[in-house]
Amino acid sequence: MDTNLLLNIAQQYGCPVYVYDGNTIENQFQRLQDAFKQVKKLKINYAAKALTNISVLKLLKKKGSGLDTVSIQEVLLGLEAGFSPDDIMFTPNGVSLEEIEEAVQLGVHINIDNLSILEQFGAKHPDIPVCVRINPHVMAGGNSNISVGHIDSKFGISVHQTPHILRIIENTKMKVNGIHMHTGSDILDIEVFLYASEILFETAKQFKNLDFIDFGSGFKVPYKEGDLETDIEELGEKLTVRFNEFCKDYGKNLTLVFEPGKFLVSQAGYFLAKVNVVKQTTSTVFAGVDSGFNHLIRPMFYNSYHHITNISNVNGKQRFYSVVGYICETDTFASNRKIAEISEGDILCFHNAGAYCFSMTSNYNSRFKPAEVLFYNDAVHLIRKRETMADLLQNQIAVNFD
Ligand SMILES: *Cc1c(COP(=O)(O)O)cnc(C)c1O
């Protein structure tokens, strides 16, 4: 996004503020759709948890996206945004049967990821079709925090337990209309993804009433220059061939489903924070901003890299800084990072701040959550107000001890 526009937004709405470029979100959606245009039935369900602002949900709905949700609250947000229940998939992990039944009441599709709930659900509601989440035990990416398909993962029903799933179906007469996998957050190696897909196809053959196969997500986007990204176009070509072959053998045109989060919104986001203080110590120069891990936790939580630029001094001399927050704990956004010379009052821009940034914010240190702004088709929309003291106090009950 244009630097002056970002500066204007920071000036108008104050810092810290999240800014999203709606056209980038649209383009990413279009790119994924184009990569799979040879598939007769394609469904893209945006993974809401990446960024749940209702205006972002509405924008994706307008593009024709469905929604992948992981809590009953996300389901309700999706309905509030105008998604039809038929376009919402509920893919929770470790929730109660009651929460799943609540989702069923709302008319959304459900995806079950353990045998215990599958058996209980099938016994009670044999007529309501469900999708099952399979764990193909394929390790995608290198970081065990974000690879969820491998052997020790809590997600999904092991592919080796397929006979048990089939027995539950036989005993309860329940219907399984889809099978699903979501192997992790970092698919770099398309061959690894295709390998996992083959396992899913093998498994799918054993289910007689499928309407769709859901390949989850895990598309990697670049966070810094030189980063590799998932080659969606190549994946589209290769998976399309295999999917169409599979449908032919299966005797039915199934729907191919994806549920991307990061791919759609990561690069569309910019987080703007103001430099409160520049502090020279014996070892480094700290740039302290008016934010912390309460607003952007990925660097501290996942050791994630977020590119940082000084939009108040774009052509300044490059110097080394440690960018830190104002939280009373260690909250380092970046160490020893080359950034254009920083002065107090400058606005720093954190890139790739669309996915898992605002949605992971908290009120730690009793700070307000930032405002959110959506820039779309040349118009700037405030889509979330900055919090106030009233928000912090809203649900607190003061006991009077006098
Ligand atoms: C989080 C999640 C996604 C989205 O993953 P990204 O890496 O953001 O694309 C998709 N499916 C499920 C089930 C998820 O939990």
Side-chain angles (χ1 to χ4, degrees), residues 47 49-50 68 70 91 133 180 182 184-185 216-219 259-263 356:
K49 74 175 186 292
D68 189 72
V70 294
T91 307
R133 179 171 185 167
H180 165 276
H182 173 62
S185 257
S217 178
F219 305 132
E259 36 185 49
K262 196 179 266 186
F263 179 79
Y356 309 105

Side-chain angles (χ1 to χ4, degrees), residues 129-165:
V130 300
C131 174
V132 287
R133 179 171 185 167
I134 302 290
N135 183 343
H137 304 305
V138 172
M139 184 87 168
N143 184 334
S144 62
N145 287 325
I146 48 178
S147 294
V148 290
H150 61 97
I151 198 88
D152 296 325
S153 164
K154 70 166 185 163
F155 296 96
I157 300 171
S158 167
V159 67
H160 306 302
Q161 291 175 311
T162 308
H164 197 160
I165 302 176

Side-chain angles (χ1 to χ4, degrees), residues 40 53 71 77 156 169 172 177 188 201 251 253 266 276 285 299 320:
K40 287 205 178 60
N53 188 291
S71 69
L77 273 176
I169 295 175
T172 60
N177 64 349
L188 261 187
F201 286 135
N253 270 325
S266 173
N276 282 335
V285 183
F320 285 96

Side-chain angles (χ1 to χ4, degrees), residues 22-259:
N23 296 97
T24 298
I25 297 174
E26 257 189 6
N27 292 344
Q28 288 293 93
F29 188 88
Q30 192 63 47
R31 217 182 121 196
L32 188 55
Q33 225 170 23
D34 289 347
F36 287 88
K37 60 177 182 292
Q38 303 294 344
V39 170
K40 287 205 178 60
K41 296 190 200 169
L42 174 73
K43 178 101 194 158
I44 299 171
N45 288 334
Y46 167 57
K49 74 175 186 292
L51 174 58
T52 44
N53 188 291
I54 197 158
S55 294
V56 172
L57 301 187
K58 278 171 175 284
L59 178 66
L60 280 155
K61 178 181 163 287
K62 183 183 111 143
K63 278 301 280 181
S65 181
L67 208 61
D68 189 72
T69 57
V70 294
S71 69
I72 196 72
Q73 290 78 12
E74 282 188 358
V75 171
L76 292 167
L77 273 176
L79 293 172
E80 183 73 29
F83 284 91
S84 104
D86 201 37
D87 284 330
I88 300 178
M89 172 63 85
F90 183 42
T91 307
N93 172 258
V95 306
S96 65
L97 182 61
E98 289 74 26
E99 187 168 330
I100 291 174
E101 287 176 325
E102 216 180 312
V104 166
Q105 286 291 316
L106 295 167
V108 305
H109 296 281
I110 57 171
N111 191 349
I112 294 183
D113 100 322
N114 65 82
L115 290 170
S116 167
I117 297 275
L118 185 71
E119 191 158 23
Q120 294 175 63
F121 188 90
K124 273 177 91 174
H125 313 281
D127 295 327
I128 297 173
V130 300
C131 174
V132 287
R133 179 171 185 167
I134 302 290
N135 183 343
H137 304 305
V138 172
M139 184 87 168
N143 184 334
S144 62
N145 287 325
I146 48 178
S147 294
V148 290
H150 61 97
I151 198 88
D152 296 325
S153 164
K154 70 166 185 163
F155 296 96
I157 300 171
S158 167
V159 67
H160 306 302
Q161 291 175 311
T162 308
H164 197 160
I165 302 176
L166 294 170
R167 191 141 38 81
I168 291 173
I169 295 175
E170 195 180 309
N171 292 343
T172 60
K173 306 282 181 268
M174 72 186 302
K175 288 172 190 60
V176 169
N177 64 349
I179 64 167
H180 165 276
M181 70 169 186
H182 173 62
T183 50
S185 257
D186 268 0
I187 304 168
L188 261 187
D189 192 340
I190 287 177
E191 297 308 320
V192 172
F193 189 83
L194 291 172
Y195 175 75
S197 304
E198 288 305 324
I199 296 172
L200 203 59
F201 286 135
E202 271 309 304
T203 312
K205 277 186 199 162
Q206 303 172 59
F207 293 80
K208 300 301 166 210
N209 297 303
L210 295 184
D211 294 324
F212 64 90
I213 300 181
D214 186 335
F215 292 88
S217 178
F219 305 132
K220 189 170 166 60
V221 299
Y223 275 72
K224 57 173 178 290
E225 221 171 292
D227 259 5
L228 295 171
E229 66 178 309
T230 307
D231 188 337
I232 292 287
E233 288 71 24
E234 186 190 348
L235 181 67
E237 264 173 47
K238 293 187 170 166
L239 186 59
T240 297
V241 172
R242 280 297 293 127
F243 186 76
N244 289 344
E245 273 172 14
F246 177 82
C247 289
K248 209 167 146 213
D249 292 344
Y250 193 76
K252 184 175 177 186
N253 270 325
L254 302 181
T255 302
L256 190 163
V257 185
F258 278 120
E259 36 185 49

